[in-house]
Amino acid sequence: MTTVDAGRAAPPLPLTARRSLAGPVLAVLWAGAAAVVALWWADTDAVVGAAGRLTGAGRIAGLLCGYACAVLVGLMARVPLLEVRIGSDRVARWHAMAGRYTVCLLVAHIVLILAGYAAQDRASLWHEAVTVVLDYPEMLKATAGTVILFAVGVTSVRAARRRTSHEFWYYVHLLTYAAVFLAFGHQLALGEEFNGKPVATAFWYALYLGVAALVLWFRVLAPVRLNRRHRLRVESVHREAPGVYSVVVHGRRLDELGARPGQFFRWRFLAEGMSWTSTPYSLSAPPRPDRMRITVKALGDHSAAVALLRPGTRVWAEGPYGSLTADRATGQRSLLIAAGVGVTPLRALFETLPGEVTLLYRARGAEDLALGGELEAIARRRGARVLYALNGPHGERPSITAQSLQATFPGLAGHDVYICGPHGFAQDVYGALRAAGVADRRIHHESFEL
């Protein structure tokens, strides 16, 4: 590792750490699930025989599946309170988990209900399935919604994700809205918990209409308002390192967005071949009232095309999102650990985090140090340190272990540590930090791996 160490440490500044809302939100979600089960309990006097047990279990699974569908869509709504106070990565993981629960509950509902009906009617499962789909109200639409949900589930499996483009996965994923809409009618038409029960029916409508309102506002109306108000366009594109380019975007009254160092936007560049893809890129410099900057590494078709953007290209943005900000800090000493293009949000934090700050930057070689000149200038200006972990002359990789971290950063356990880089790198660094005695609450990281 080499070090740039200039000047005296910056004077401490006040910090205002904000508590995560993850615990309270999870409590509300589980309370909602309990309330849904209570609907079945209140409507069921007794469960008799095998057919009754199968049908009862199927009804519970169906109710929970309907509730999980609403949660699934709500977590897709990009509600700023959740995205910032919990973290986009955690909300994305919750969404992925809710998707798995939804598919499992859907399978259980179908199998149990059909088995219960078949036992009650003394018919085969196939005969019962055909009868339910063709003769019961709203079931043709519900069947179409079920097929769509299964398709979304299959394309969301990690192995399938690796074999499909991000664009294909994204547009199939959007069909979740259609699936939930198609399945909604049969819940009220066939759900015994809702027939003749206005309070339960009003609760279900409020749940679904509330989620629909969140999606409409935060995924449609708020982005339209943002982009009409701020008029974003590409100002310039600059090469930072091999395959790494910075894009400066200018607009009007950007300070009103409330964007903070460490956050990201979802960017859609209205250029040929890029208009239909929205991709998250972090701000690589503190936002200014008239411009923002992102720095992108060419890792796919969309990111590679960023280098070809022309000044004046219109930009559609959504955000700001993310909780990798100074609000997570719990003290006056911070260590930022970046790898590759993961340096982008940490570069913005390096300039603005209060207190004593050190940046450790992992890269293959000196030519791959994107924004390296800026980092050293910031270090000199604010009296901070930059350390580089570069491959040796024969390609040997420096090891970042608990022992090397403790030796390099005295008092490491008292630091807030921000990590940004590839998923495997971040996992390894997290393990090393925990082994070095850094508390989990002091390790801050955002990942977009589902």
Side-chain angles (χ1 to χ4, degrees):
M1 298 181 187
T2 60
T3 306
V4 173
D5 193 347
R8 293 173 298 173
L13 296 174
L15 288 169
T16 55
R18 292 195 292 180
R19 245 180 113 181
S20 169
L21 292 179
V25 170
L26 281 177
V28 169
L29 293 179
W30 283 112
V36 167
V37 175
L39 288 178
W40 172 84
W41 182 269
D43 186 67
T44 304
D45 296 327
V47 178
V48 180
R53 287 192 290 272
L54 288 168
T55 304
R59 286 170 58 195
I60 293 172
L63 284 168
L64 287 173
C65 182
Y67 174 72
C69 283
V71 171
L72 187 70
V73 173
L75 292 173
M76 291 172 67
R78 297 177 186 164
V79 179
L81 185 66
L82 303 184
E83 297 276 333
V84 174
R85 295 294 300 277
I86 295 176
S88 298
D89 59 335
R90 185 178 289 187
V91 172
R93 289 196 295 272
W94 287 0
H95 171 72
M97 185 178 297
R100 290 189 284 271
Y101 284 152
T102 301
V103 172
C104 291
L105 288 167
L106 180 58
V107 172
H109 171 61
I110 293 170
V111 171
L112 291 169
I113 281 290
L114 290 178
Y117 287 177
Q120 180 179 306
D121 296 340
R122 300 175 186 268
S124 68
L125 277 175
W126 175 252
H127 178 270
E128 203 64 44
V130 172
T131 301
V132 167
V133 171
L134 296 181
D135 296 343
Y136 282 39
E138 299 286 339
M139 276 307 301
L140 282 175
K141 290 195 296 184
T143 301
T146 298
V147 171
I148 293 172
L149 272 180
F150 280 136
V152 172
V154 168
T155 56
S156 297
V157 174
R158 194 178 295 271
R161 286 283 306 276
R162 287 196 292 262
R163 290 172 170 78
T164 58
S165 67
H166 173 79
E167 291 79 7
F168 176 81
W169 171 85
Y170 176 76
Y171 290 114
V172 170
H173 218 62
L174 286 180
L175 292 175
T176 302
Y177 297 125
V180 173
F181 174 77
L182 289 169
F184 179 74
H186 97 285
Q187 299 174 43
L188 296 178
L190 300 177
E192 295 181 24
E193 294 77 14
F194 304 111
N195 290 332
K197 300 174 180 66
V199 174
T201 301
F203 166 74
W204 213 245
Y205 267 114
L207 174 65
Y208 273 77
L209 290 176
V211 167
L214 291 177
V215 172
L216 178 63
W217 179 256
F218 290 113
R219 295 208 63 167
V220 180
L221 299 180
V224 169
R225 178 179 179 272
L226 182 156
N227 288 280
R228 286 178 59 87
R229 182 178 183 83
H230 299 289
R231 306 286 183 179
L232 301 175
R233 290 185 181 272
V234 172
E235 180 177 286
S236 58
V237 179
H238 308 279
R239 183 181 182 276
E240 302 287 359
V244 180
Y245 291 84
S246 285
V247 181
V248 178
V249 175
H250 72 84
R252 304 183 302 180
R253 302 191 297 272
L254 300 185
D255 52 318
E256 297 176 5
L257 290 171
R260 307 189 60 194
Q263 291 189 305
F264 69 94
F265 287 77
R266 297 181 187 272
W267 304 91
R268 190 188 306 272
F269 298 101
L270 305 187
E272 184 177 356
M274 303 181 71
S275 301
W276 295 99
T277 302
S278 175
T279 307
Y281 295 127
S282 297
L283 299 175
S284 61
R288 294 169 51 181
D290 60 344
R291 57 176 51 84
M292 298 184 289
R293 189 185 74 177
I294 59 174
T295 301
V296 180
K297 184 176 179 62
L299 298 173
D301 293 341
H302 185 273
S303 54
V306 166
L308 305 177
L309 288 171
R310 294 177 174 272
T313 300
R314 290 183 59 197
V315 181
W316 185 274
E318 298 176 44
Y321 300 124
S323 62
L324 196 70
T325 67
D327 282 340
R328 286 195 177 187
T330 61
Q332 290 290 339
R333 291 188 295 171
S334 299
L335 170 62
L336 315 180
I337 305 179
V341 78
V343 75
T344 56
L346 301 192
R347 180 261 179 251
L349 284 171
F350 188 53
E351 182 175 345
T352 57
L353 265 177
E356 179 185 322
V357 184
T358 303
L359 172 65
L360 173 60
Y361 190 176
R362 167 78 182 97
R364 286 192 298 270
E367 68 279 1
D368 298 305
L369 294 172
L371 310 175
E374 294 184 16
L375 294 172
E376 296 190 11
I378 293 168
R380 287 190 293 269
R381 185 168 64 248
R382 66 170 298 172
R385 292 195 302 162
V386 181
L387 287 78
Y388 303 118
L390 307 178
N391 289 358
H394 303 293
E396 58 270 23
R397 296 167 59 90
S399 59
I400 300 177
T401 64
Q403 293 73 25
S404 66
L405 289 171
Q406 286 175 318
T408 307
F409 307 105
L412 177 63
H415 287 67
D416 283 286
V417 185
Y418 292 77
I419 309 170
C420 193
H423 186 62
F425 169 84
Q427 283 188 317
D428 291 343
V429 171
Y430 175 83
L433 289 167
R434 294 293 288 127
V438 182
D440 185 70
R441 65 186 178 86
R442 289 182 175 271
I443 303 175
H444 316 302
H445 173 240
E446 279 188 326
S447 168
F448 301 101
E449 294 273 343
L450 297 185

